[in-house]
Amino acid sequence: MTDLSEPAPEEAEETEPVAQDARGRVAELHAIREEAFRGPSERATEAQHAKGKLTARERIELLLDPGSFCEMETLRRHRATGFGLEAKKPYTDGVITGWGTVHGRTVFVYAHDFRIFGGALGEAHAHKIHKLMDKAIAAGAPLVSLNDGAGARIQEGVAALAGYGGIFQRNTKASGVIPQISVMLGPCAGGAAYSPALTDFVFMVRETSQMFITGPDVVQAVTGAEVTQNGLGGADVHAATSGVAHFAYDDEATCLEEVRYLLSLLPSNNRENPPVEVSEDPPDRRAEELLDIVPVDGNRPYDMRQVIEEIVDDGDFLEVHERWATNILCALARMDGQVVGIVANQPQALAGVLDIEASEKAARFVQMCDAFNIPIVTLLDVPGFLPGVDQEHGGIIRHGAKLLYAYCNATVPRISVVLRKAYGGAYIVMDSQSIGADLTYAWPTNEIAVMGAEGAANVIFRRQIAAADDPEAMRVRMVKEYKAELMHPYYAAERGLVDDVIDPADTRQVLIRSLAMLRAKHADLPSRKHGNPPQ
């Protein structure tokens, strides 16, 4: 929230009435619109630029295709009185709303204008956003919010708070219907932080954007801890620690360009498929490099990103939550021009185990893909769930079940590939055939089992090992025996638990052919109001 105690920018003087014939009225209109477009004052614009921030209109110009923006309610003003508000009634009331195109497709956008009331939300301000959101839902087009506001307008009291309630209600109504993207370009405190949290993706800019429920002053007063705004809720904190932000960038121009890229990978709504692009990357291209990237030894790490680069079009993909829960990768990419969502264990971080944060990250990504008709490819190299008191007390059962529920509930095409190890419950959770994967493939380096051979042998042959003259030699022999019996690469294929064992170099073409076959897949869920997923 904001009390607007800082000196307000100079307000432009009211436009003088002009002659009351038709041409005079038109001239008056142009003068008023020019005042609205110009904003409160040049000094206010300079102050915004001095902070390293663009104005709301400059941001919209970067986001949308040139000349495509159509503004709504440019001349809207608040009707509040008291606390000096009746003397300050700027056009737009601190938020610019409208629609335009991104890569030729319609996108709705609203942008807070920090130069007017610090971007604070009042009743008229909120109604403009409500109207825009209703139109976005009705038109079936993405909604992008460019957030740069200090919260509710305290001078308007509960009416401002009710305005937030209307936004939250529409965020929820639009969830899974149209893509919703929040771009944080300034401070976002209190209840205002909940609208971005309800949307599909959150972008932040380092140094200039922050999100928190209670600011540093309140935190210090209650807990005694001293922390800066960026230390409490800056872009790096939310991108790497809290997981609130999906993307973080150094400047606004780069951030908004990446928003455009993300929109190019998403459908306009849940009734459409993602846009297709013609790819010059041959669909039957062999990826021989995969044979060298992934070591046969299951204990040796490697970067799963290199695997993804080899199988997607031109090695290009957009990683979501790149710096949070790094033991699992979630990415959007194209294969033969078709958009796919990729979920993959990352052996380079925590050996690729599933833990609380990885489960939450992947579950939300799977749900997003399913909501917007994006097929899911899962690449497995997972040794299990992370053991530990902290994980168990933190609810790894409950959080791991979120990922399980998301996969089981997804009706889009689902293909999984076991690259190396896939042990225990983590193998089941990572879209195994038993929970509904449409197709499951494995490389000849795969090891699908209840647990690793060493652990299994120690349990099964505990007495024989203990009674042997040379326990270590006996243990090595039993491990070898267990691998030969239950962990050879064709064990799962012989039992129909994988559809085929494939040459790693053929992974790209196998996936593309499989996705083409599944493109017309139709699956019905039981009739119900909604499920009750684990929380």
Side-chain angles (χ1 to χ4, degrees):
M1 296 186 181
T2 179
D3 60 5
L4 310 182
S5 57
E6 295 182 2
E10 293 177 357
E11 301 292 339
E13 294 181 0
E14 294 289 338
T15 305
E16 291 293 330
V18 296
Q20 296 305 300
D21 57 11
R23 286 183 173 80
R25 291 292 180 90
V26 171
E28 179 184 30
L29 169 63
H30 286 307
I32 291 173
R33 291 178 66 83
E34 174 60 28
E35 178 184 337
F37 292 155
R38 187 173 59 247
S41 70
E42 189 61 34
R43 191 178 71 178
T45 301
E46 291 172 356
Q48 183 82 344
H49 289 163
K51 298 174 184 176
K53 297 161 63 175
L54 301 175
T55 65
R57 294 189 185 278
E58 290 170 339
R59 291 163 175 167
I60 291 173
E61 287 177 3
L62 286 176
L63 173 67
L64 300 178
D65 296 337
S68 68
F69 183 53
C70 301
E71 189 170 351
M72 293 169 49
E73 297 200 350
T74 308
L75 307 183
R76 186 71 178 259
R77 291 166 138 179
H78 71 76
R79 297 174 293 179
T81 59
F83 306 102
L85 284 178
E86 61 274 8
K88 296 178 181 179
K89 301 177 68 173
Y91 294 114
T92 75
D93 200 45
V95 64
I96 299 168
T97 60
W99 72 92
T101 60
V102 173
H103 302 300
R105 295 191 302 149
T106 299
V107 172
F108 287 79
V109 59
Y110 69 85
H112 298 131
D113 190 341
F114 194 82
R115 300 172 304 164
I116 298 175
F117 297 138
L121 181 138
E123 184 178 22
H125 182 122
H127 285 174
K128 288 182 65 174
I129 296 174
H130 296 169
K131 182 183 288 188
L132 183 84
M133 296 178 78
D134 290 339
K135 290 190 183 301
I137 296 169
L143 174 68
V144 179
S145 62
L146 306 180
N147 299 272
D148 187 6
R153 200 174 297 169
I154 294 176
Q155 290 87 336
E156 295 193 30
V158 71
L161 290 178
Y164 274 124
I167 293 173
F168 302 157
Q169 190 270 342
R170 288 166 174 82
N171 284 139
T172 304
K173 182 180 178 182
S175 181
V177 178
I178 58 172
Q180 299 180 84
I181 300 174
S182 298
V183 188
M184 315 311 296
L185 301 167
C188 185
Y194 283 117
S195 176
L198 290 169
T199 60
D200 299 300
F201 298 97
V202 176
F203 287 72
M204 295 188 73
V205 175
R206 294 185 179 91
E207 301 304 323
T208 59
S209 66
Q210 301 89 29
M211 295 174 68
F212 36 71
I213 299 301
T214 54
D217 293 341
V218 176
V219 169
Q220 182 175 4
V222 174
T223 69
E226 293 187 16
V227 63
T228 64
Q229 286 195 344
N230 282 319
L232 181 63
D236 288 324
V237 168
H238 286 311
T241 304
S242 72
V244 171
H246 300 77
F247 306 95
Y249 299 99
D250 290 331
D251 60 84
E252 294 189 13
T254 303
C255 179
L256 292 170
E257 183 59 36
E258 290 300 296
V259 174
R260 287 175 56 86
Y261 179 39
L262 173 60
L263 285 166
S264 75
L265 296 167
L266 300 175
S268 292
N269 56 66
N270 65 341
R271 300 182 302 277
E272 298 181 4
N273 290 323
V276 180
E277 288 189 358
V278 177
S279 173
E280 296 182 359
D281 194 346
D284 58 352
R285 170 175 57 80
R286 282 177 58 83
E288 298 287 351
E289 292 81 1
L290 292 175
L291 297 171
D292 300 318
I293 291 172
V294 181
V296 174
D297 182 357
N299 293 320
R300 287 181 58 193
Y302 62 94
D303 189 352
M304 183 65 81
R305 292 186 183 91
Q306 293 181 294
V307 175
I308 296 173
E309 287 176 359
E310 289 299 320
I311 64 176
V312 303
D313 290 353
D314 304 310
D316 189 23
F317 62 93
L318 178 64
E319 188 173 345
V320 178
H321 270 145
E322 180 180 356
R323 298 173 57 204
W324 182 61
T326 55
N327 43 322
I328 200 161
L329 302 179
C330 297
L332 292 169
R334 281 192 167 88
M335 301 187 72
D336 196 26
Q338 304 281 343
V339 177
V340 296
I342 298 174
V343 179
N345 306 110
Q346 172 58 297
Q348 212 171 46
L350 295 176
V353 297
L354 287 179
D355 60 3
I356 288 172
E357 291 186 345
S359 298
E360 287 193 334
K361 170 180 170 178
R364 184 80 194 284
F365 183 76
V366 168
Q367 289 172 174
M368 185 279 299
C369 289
D370 187 48
F372 294 115
N373 308 312
I374 300 173
I376 302 167
V377 172
T378 304
L379 305 177
L380 285 86
D381 191 347
V382 59
F385 282 95
L386 180 65
V389 174
D390 290 344
Q391 288 290 307
E392 296 296 343
H393 289 185
I396 184 62
I397 296 172
R398 174 168 53 88
H399 293 284
K402 294 179 183 179
L403 180 55
L404 180 60
Y405 187 99
Y407 269 125
C408 290
N409 201 49
T411 60
V412 293
R414 292 156 47 193
I415 303 173
S416 60
V417 183
V418 181
L419 276 61
R420 222 167 45 167
K421 55 189 176 295
Y423 296 158
Y427 153 65
I428 300 296
V429 167
M430 289 289 293
D431 207 20
S432 63
Q433 192 176 99
S434 61
I435 66 169
D438 296 297
L439 290 168
T440 304
Y441 299 106
W443 287 4
T445 49
N446 82 83
E447 294 181 352
I448 304 174
V450 175
M451 63 175 66
E454 289 78 6
N458 288 336
V459 173
I460 298 173
F461 306 111
R462 182 177 65 254
R463 292 182 180 177
Q464 293 96 314
I465 293 173
D469 293 334
D470 187 346
E472 181 58 25
M474 176 62 74
R475 190 186 70 81
V476 171
R477 185 160 71 88
M478 291 298 98
V479 167
K480 185 176 180 180
E481 181 179 322
Y482 182 84
K483 281 186 175 182
E485 288 293 323
L486 297 176
M487 292 183 64
H488 64 81
Y490 307 103
Y491 183 86
E494 291 169 359
R495 286 152 183 80
L497 297 176
V498 299
D499 293 290
D500 199 7
V501 179
I502 63 173
D503 180 345
D506 291 332
T507 302
R508 171 177 164 81
Q509 61 178 303
V510 168
L511 287 173
I512 288 174
R513 290 174 180 175
S514 300
L515 289 166
M517 181 273 292
L518 291 167
R519 197 159 295 144
K521 174 187 174 182
H522 176 76
D524 290 320
L525 291 172
S527 177
R528 59 185 175 185
K529 185 176 181 181
H530 57 73
N532 186 25
Q535 296 297 320

